[in-house]
């Protein structure tokens, strides 16, 4: 009986440890995504060196040069553009 309780306690402690590890990993992922978004918001146009401006064109989020030298988008935005084009 006592070893059964120890086994269940050990399992519970393992579950708590796994939950804490998952929580830590989720926070790390969230922080990394935020850093990547921050970096993208400070990306400059290779032509004029001005910061790209976030815009929405036809429901698709893009980053555009304020001087009109081009626009940049991520893979999901590209898929949306291609889908609309068909």
């Amino acid at each position: 009986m006592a070893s059964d309780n120890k086994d269940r306690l050990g399992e519970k402690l393992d579950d708590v440890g796994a939950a804490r590890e998952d929580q830590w990993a989720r926070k790390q992922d969230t922080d990394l995504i935020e850093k990547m978004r921050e970096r993208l918001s400070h990306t400059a146009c290779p032509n004029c060196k001005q910061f790209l401006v976030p815009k929405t064109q036809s429901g698709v989020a893009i980053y555009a040069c304020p001087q009109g030298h081009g626009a940049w988008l991520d893979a999901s935005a590209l898929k949306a553009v291609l889908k609309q084009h068909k």
Side-chain angles (χ1 to χ4, degrees):
M1 179 90 163
S3 70
D4 187 41
N5 285 340
K6 277 187 174 182
D7 289 343
R8 281 191 271 158
L9 178 61
E11 288 174 9
K12 293 285 185 189
L13 290 174
D14 288 343
D15 290 345
V16 168
R20 285 184 179 154
E21 187 176 329
D22 288 347
Q23 185 179 22
W24 176 85
R26 193 170 22 259
K27 171 118 174 59
Q28 294 299 313
D29 289 347
T30 302
D31 291 347
L32 181 59
I33 289 169
E34 189 58 38
K35 285 179 185 177
M36 291 170 73
R37 284 186 181 141
E38 182 72 22
R39 187 179 305 148
L40 184 58
S41 70
H42 294 301
T43 301
C45 171
N47 243 0
C48 65
K49 308 300 183 223
Q50 290 192 4
F51 288 128
L52 301 179
V53 179
K55 292 185 177 184
T56 302
Q57 294 285 91
S58 302
V60 178
I62 63 170
Y63 286 89
C65 171
Q67 298 296 317
H69 293 126
W72 290 260
L73 44 118
D74 62 15
S76 61
L78 178 59
K79 287 179 186 177
V81 168
L82 293 174
K83 188 176 180 179
Q84 288 178 2
H85 184 65
K86 289 181 181 181

